[in-house]
Amino acid sequence: MRQIIVTSCLFCDIAAGKRKADVVFESDDVLAFRDISPQAPHHVLVIPRKHIATLNDLQEDDAEIMGKLLLAAKQVAGAAGFAEKGYRTVINCNRDAGQTVFHIHLHVLGGRYLGWPPG
Ligand code: AMP
Ligand code: ZN
């Protein structure tokens, strides 16, 4: 018997343009869009177009794409005007870090003082 497994991923859908998002940066490999529930005046998520579920799933081949996420974060911060003042980048991995969307994403938070340590 042939089994058809249908999987769906919110951020794959956004990357494919099947779901709306407020996109602030895009390239062939990377997309950045505003978080729907912002935790700072500027809260953007940077994702690879390729589906990678969590940081634990990264392979050697993904080194370049992860570098591109960081370069996109720098661009987003520069364009939003908070690069010099400061900002935070975060990747939550799995339950204890509160990951809720299992397509790897880099949070870029800025526009206010961000306390440390995080909650
Ligand atoms: P995390 O908890 O690290 O998995 O972060 C997932 C983030 O995705 C949360 O900050 C959510 O607010 C955000 N989010 C969920 N759905 C959407 C959406 N449709 N568009 C933009 N951001 C979203
Ligand atoms: Zn995905």
Side-chain angles (χ1 to χ4, degrees), residues 68-107:
K68 287 182 178 178
L69 288 198
L70 288 169
L71 289 169
K74 171 187 155 181
Q75 185 134 340
V76 164
F82 55 74
E84 294 309 318
K85 240 182 152 185
Y87 58 100
R88 184 167 294 160
T89 56
V90 174
I91 296 176
N92 294 320
C93 182
N94 280 342
R95 187 189 54 203
D96 273 8
Q99 184 175 3
T100 57
V101 178
F102 288 84
H103 179 130
I104 201 166
H105 49 280
L106 183 70
H107 294 258

Short mmCIF file of all heavy atoms in Angstrom, two decimals, residues 68-107:
data_model
loop_
_atom_site.label_atom_id
_atom_site.label_comp_id
_atom_site.label_asym_id
_atom_site.label_seq_id
_atom_site.Cartn_x
_atom_site.Cartn_y
_atom_site.Cartn_z
N LYS A 68 24.34 33.45 5.54
CA LYS A 68 23.47 34.40 4.81
C LYS A 68 22.36 34.93 5.71
O LYS A 68 21.92 36.08 5.56
CB LYS A 68 22.91 33.74 3.56
CG LYS A 68 23.97 33.57 2.48
CD LYS A 68 23.43 32.95 1.22
CE LYS A 68 24.53 32.86 0.16
NZ LYS A 68 24.07 32.22 -1.07
N LEU A 69 21.88 34.10 6.64
CA LEU A 69 20.85 34.59 7.58
C LEU A 69 21.43 35.74 8.41
O LEU A 69 20.77 36.76 8.63
CB LEU A 69 20.39 33.49 8.55
CG LEU A 69 19.53 32.32 8.09
CD1 LEU A 69 18.86 31.66 9.28
CD2 LEU A 69 18.48 32.72 7.08
N LEU A 70 22.67 35.56 8.87
CA LEU A 70 23.29 36.62 9.69
C LEU A 70 23.53 37.88 8.87
O LEU A 70 23.32 39.00 9.36
CB LEU A 70 24.60 36.11 10.31
CG LEU A 70 24.41 35.09 11.43
CD1 LEU A 70 25.73 34.44 11.79
CD2 LEU A 70 23.79 35.74 12.66
N LEU A 71 23.95 37.72 7.63
CA LEU A 71 24.16 38.90 6.77
C LEU A 71 22.84 39.62 6.50
O LEU A 71 22.79 40.85 6.45
CB LEU A 71 24.84 38.49 5.46
CG LEU A 71 26.31 38.08 5.62
CD1 LEU A 71 26.83 37.42 4.34
CD2 LEU A 71 27.17 39.30 5.98
N ALA A 72 21.76 38.83 6.36
CA ALA A 72 20.44 39.45 6.16
C ALA A 72 20.02 40.19 7.43
O ALA A 72 19.45 41.29 7.35
CB ALA A 72 19.40 38.38 5.81
N ALA A 73 20.33 39.62 8.60
CA ALA A 73 20.00 40.30 9.87
C ALA A 73 20.71 41.65 9.95
O ALA A 73 20.12 42.66 10.34
CB ALA A 73 20.40 39.41 11.05
N LYS A 74 21.96 41.66 9.56
CA LYS A 74 22.74 42.92 9.56
C LYS A 74 22.09 43.95 8.63
O LYS A 74 21.93 45.13 8.98
CB LYS A 74 24.18 42.61 9.08
CG LYS A 74 25.03 43.80 8.83
CD LYS A 74 26.35 43.37 8.21
CE LYS A 74 26.96 44.51 7.41
NZ LYS A 74 28.21 44.12 6.77
N GLN A 75 21.66 43.48 7.48
CA GLN A 75 21.00 44.36 6.50
C GLN A 75 19.69 44.92 7.06
O GLN A 75 19.38 46.10 6.92
CB GLN A 75 20.74 43.56 5.24
CG GLN A 75 20.17 44.39 4.12
CD GLN A 75 20.89 44.09 2.81
OE1 GLN A 75 22.02 43.57 2.82
NE2 GLN A 75 20.28 44.40 1.71
N VAL A 76 18.90 44.04 7.67
CA VAL A 76 17.60 44.43 8.25
C VAL A 76 17.82 45.49 9.33
O VAL A 76 17.12 46.51 9.37
CB VAL A 76 16.89 43.18 8.83
CG1 VAL A 76 15.76 43.57 9.77
CG2 VAL A 76 16.38 42.28 7.70
N ALA A 77 18.81 45.26 10.20
CA ALA A 77 19.08 46.21 11.29
C ALA A 77 19.55 47.54 10.73
O ALA A 77 19.12 48.61 11.20
CB ALA A 77 20.13 45.62 12.24
N GLY A 78 20.39 47.49 9.71
CA GLY A 78 20.87 48.73 9.09
C GLY A 78 19.74 49.51 8.46
O GLY A 78 19.61 50.72 8.65
N ALA A 79 18.88 48.81 7.73
CA ALA A 79 17.76 49.47 7.04
C ALA A 79 16.77 50.06 8.04
O ALA A 79 16.17 51.11 7.78
CB ALA A 79 17.06 48.48 6.13
N ALA A 80 16.61 49.40 9.20
CA ALA A 80 15.65 49.88 10.20
C ALA A 80 16.26 51.00 11.05
O ALA A 80 15.55 51.65 11.81
CB ALA A 80 15.21 48.72 11.09
N GLY A 81 17.58 51.18 10.96
CA GLY A 81 18.24 52.30 11.65
C GLY A 81 18.64 52.02 13.08
O GLY A 81 18.95 52.95 13.82
N PHE A 82 18.68 50.75 13.49
CA PHE A 82 19.10 50.48 14.87
C PHE A 82 20.43 49.71 14.96
O PHE A 82 20.79 49.22 16.03
CB PHE A 82 18.00 49.82 15.70
CG PHE A 82 17.42 48.53 15.13
CD1 PHE A 82 18.14 47.35 15.18
CD2 PHE A 82 16.15 48.52 14.58
CE1 PHE A 82 17.61 46.18 14.68
CE2 PHE A 82 15.61 47.35 14.07
CZ PHE A 82 16.35 46.18 14.12
N ALA A 83 21.14 49.65 13.84
CA ALA A 83 22.39 48.89 13.83
C ALA A 83 23.39 49.43 14.87
O ALA A 83 23.99 48.66 15.62
CB ALA A 83 22.99 48.91 12.43
N GLU A 84 23.55 50.74 14.91
CA GLU A 84 24.56 51.32 15.81
C GLU A 84 24.11 51.26 17.26
O GLU A 84 24.91 50.98 18.16
CB GLU A 84 24.86 52.77 15.40
CG GLU A 84 25.53 52.89 14.04
CD GLU A 84 26.76 51.97 13.90
OE1 GLU A 84 27.55 51.89 14.85
OE2 GLU A 84 26.91 51.34 12.84
N LYS A 85 22.85 51.52 17.51
CA LYS A 85 22.33 51.51 18.89
C LYS A 85 22.38 50.11 19.46
O LYS A 85 22.68 49.90 20.63
CB LYS A 85 20.89 52.04 18.89
CG LYS A 85 20.72 53.28 19.73
CD LYS A 85 19.29 53.75 19.77
CE LYS A 85 19.07 54.48 21.08
NZ LYS A 85 17.69 54.87 21.26
N GLY A 86 22.01 49.14 18.65
CA GLY A 86 22.09 47.75 19.08
C GLY A 86 20.82 46.97 18.83
O GLY A 86 19.73 47.55 18.68
N TYR A 87 20.98 45.68 18.79
CA TYR A 87 19.85 44.78 18.54
C TYR A 87 20.26 43.39 18.96
O TYR A 87 21.43 43.15 19.32
CB TYR A 87 19.42 44.83 17.07
CG TYR A 87 20.50 44.49 16.07
CD1 TYR A 87 20.56 43.23 15.49
CD2 TYR A 87 21.47 45.44 15.70
CE1 TYR A 87 21.55 42.92 14.57
CE2 TYR A 87 22.46 45.13 14.78
CZ TYR A 87 22.50 43.87 14.22
OH TYR A 87 23.47 43.56 13.32
N ARG A 88 19.32 42.48 18.93
CA ARG A 88 19.60 41.10 19.35
C ARG A 88 19.15 40.13 18.28
O ARG A 88 18.09 40.32 17.66
CB ARG A 88 18.89 40.80 20.67
CG ARG A 88 19.22 39.41 21.21
CD ARG A 88 18.76 39.25 22.65
NE ARG A 88 19.52 40.14 23.51
CZ ARG A 88 19.13 40.53 24.72
NH1 ARG A 88 17.99 40.10 25.22
NH2 ARG A 88 19.88 41.34 25.45
N THR A 89 19.95 39.08 18.08
CA THR A 89 19.54 37.99 17.19
C THR A 89 19.41 36.74 18.05
O THR A 89 20.23 36.50 18.94
CB THR A 89 20.57 37.75 16.07
OG1 THR A 89 21.84 37.50 16.65
CG2 THR A 89 20.65 38.93 15.13
N VAL A 90 18.36 35.97 17.79
CA VAL A 90 18.05 34.79 18.61
C VAL A 90 17.57 33.66 17.71
O VAL A 90 16.76 33.89 16.80
CB VAL A 90 16.91 35.10 19.62
CG1 VAL A 90 16.47 33.85 20.37
CG2 VAL A 90 17.32 36.20 20.59
N ILE A 91 18.05 32.45 17.98
CA ILE A 91 17.45 31.26 17.39
C ILE A 91 17.01 30.37 18.54
O ILE A 91 17.85 29.91 19.33
CB ILE A 91 18.45 30.48 16.49
CG1 ILE A 91 18.87 31.33 15.29
CG2 ILE A 91 17.81 29.17 16.01
CD1 ILE A 91 19.91 30.68 14.39
N ASN A 92 15.71 30.17 18.68
CA ASN A 92 15.20 29.27 19.70
C ASN A 92 15.25 27.85 19.16
O ASN A 92 14.87 27.61 18.01
CB ASN A 92 13.75 29.63 20.07
CG ASN A 92 13.67 30.98 20.75
OD1 ASN A 92 14.51 31.32 21.58
ND2 ASN A 92 12.66 31.77 20.40
N CYS A 93 15.71 26.92 19.98
CA CYS A 93 15.78 25.51 19.54
C CYS A 93 15.00 24.62 20.51
O CYS A 93 15.38 24.52 21.69
CB CYS A 93 17.23 25.06 19.44
SG CYS A 93 17.36 23.35 18.85
N ASN A 94 13.91 24.08 20.00
CA ASN A 94 13.11 23.08 20.74
C ASN A 94 12.42 23.65 22.00
O ASN A 94 12.42 24.86 22.23
CB ASN A 94 13.93 21.84 21.04
CG ASN A 94 14.01 20.93 19.81
OD1 ASN A 94 13.22 21.05 18.90
ND2 ASN A 94 14.96 20.01 19.81
N ARG A 95 11.83 22.76 22.76
CA ARG A 95 10.86 23.11 23.80
C ARG A 95 11.39 24.08 24.87
O ARG A 95 10.75 25.08 25.18
CB ARG A 95 10.38 21.82 24.47
CG ARG A 95 9.24 22.01 25.46
CD ARG A 95 8.98 20.73 26.21
NE ARG A 95 10.21 20.26 26.83
CZ ARG A 95 10.43 18.99 27.18
NH1 ARG A 95 9.52 18.07 26.98
NH2 ARG A 95 11.59 18.65 27.73
N ASP A 96 12.55 23.78 25.44
CA ASP A 96 13.01 24.62 26.55
C ASP A 96 13.31 26.05 26.13
O ASP A 96 13.31 26.95 26.97
CB ASP A 96 14.24 24.00 27.22
CG ASP A 96 13.88 23.00 28.30
OD1 ASP A 96 12.67 22.67 28.43
OD2 ASP A 96 14.78 22.52 29.01
N ALA A 97 13.58 26.25 24.85
CA ALA A 97 13.83 27.61 24.37
C ALA A 97 12.55 28.25 23.84
O ALA A 97 12.55 29.41 23.43
CB ALA A 97 14.89 27.60 23.29
N GLY A 98 11.45 27.48 23.81
CA GLY A 98 10.18 28.04 23.37
C GLY A 98 9.98 28.07 21.88
O GLY A 98 9.19 28.88 21.37
N GLN A 99 10.68 27.19 21.14
CA GLN A 99 10.47 27.17 19.68
C GLN A 99 9.05 26.70 19.38
O GLN A 99 8.60 25.67 19.89
CB GLN A 99 11.48 26.24 18.99
CG GLN A 99 11.36 26.28 17.46
CD GLN A 99 12.43 25.45 16.74
OE1 GLN A 99 13.24 24.79 17.37
NE2 GLN A 99 12.42 25.53 15.42
N THR A 100 8.35 27.47 18.57
CA THR A 100 6.96 27.13 18.23
C THR A 100 6.77 26.85 16.74
O THR A 100 5.81 26.20 16.35
CB THR A 100 5.99 28.26 18.64
OG1 THR A 100 6.40 29.47 18.00
CG2 THR A 100 5.95 28.46 20.14
N VAL A 101 7.66 27.38 15.92
CA VAL A 101 7.58 27.13 14.47
C VAL A 101 8.83 26.35 14.08
O VAL A 101 9.96 26.82 14.27
CB VAL A 101 7.47 28.44 13.66
CG1 VAL A 101 7.44 28.12 12.16
CG2 VAL A 101 6.23 29.24 14.06
N PHE A 102 8.61 25.14 13.52
CA PHE A 102 9.73 24.24 13.29
C PHE A 102 10.26 24.35 11.85
O PHE A 102 10.34 23.37 11.11
CB PHE A 102 9.35 22.82 13.73
CG PHE A 102 9.29 22.77 15.24
CD1 PHE A 102 8.15 23.17 15.93
CD2 PHE A 102 10.42 22.43 15.97
CE1 PHE A 102 8.11 23.19 17.31
CE2 PHE A 102 10.41 22.45 17.35
CZ PHE A 102 9.25 22.84 18.03
N HIS A 103 10.59 25.58 11.52
CA HIS A 103 11.36 25.95 10.32
C HIS A 103 12.33 27.00 10.87
O HIS A 103 11.88 28.06 11.34
CB HIS A 103 10.44 26.52 9.24
CG HIS A 103 11.13 26.96 7.98
ND1 HIS A 103 10.70 26.57 6.72
CD2 HIS A 103 12.20 27.77 7.77
CE1 HIS A 103 11.48 27.11 5.80
NE2 HIS A 103 12.39 27.86 6.42
N ILE A 104 13.59 26.68 10.84
CA ILE A 104 14.58 27.51 11.55
C ILE A 104 14.43 28.99 11.17
O ILE A 104 14.15 29.32 10.02
CB ILE A 104 16.01 26.98 11.26
CG1 ILE A 104 16.99 27.44 12.34
CG2 ILE A 104 16.49 27.35 9.88
CD1 ILE A 104 18.31 26.67 12.30
N HIS A 105 14.54 29.84 12.17
CA HIS A 105 14.41 31.29 11.93
C HIS A 105 15.25 32.05 12.93
O HIS A 105 15.38 31.65 14.09
CB HIS A 105 12.94 31.73 12.00
CG HIS A 105 12.22 31.22 13.21
ND1 HIS A 105 11.73 29.94 13.28
CD2 HIS A 105 11.93 31.82 14.39
CE1 HIS A 105 11.15 29.76 14.46
NE2 HIS A 105 11.27 30.88 15.16
N LEU A 106 15.77 33.15 12.45
CA LEU A 106 16.58 34.04 13.28
C LEU A 106 15.73 35.25 13.63
O LEU A 106 15.28 35.97 12.74
CB LEU A 106 17.81 34.47 12.46
CG LEU A 106 18.87 35.33 13.11
CD1 LEU A 106 19.64 34.54 14.16
CD2 LEU A 106 19.84 35.82 12.03
N HIS A 107 15.47 35.43 14.92
CA HIS A 107 14.75 36.62 15.35
C HIS A 107 15.74 37.80 15.34
O HIS A 107 16.86 37.67 15.83
CB HIS A 107 14.25 36.47 16.79
CG HIS A 107 13.21 35.43 16.99
ND1 HIS A 107 11.87 35.73 17.13
CD2 HIS A 107 13.30 34.08 17.13
CE1 HIS A 107 11.18 34.61 17.34
NE2 HIS A 107 12.03 33.60 17.35
#
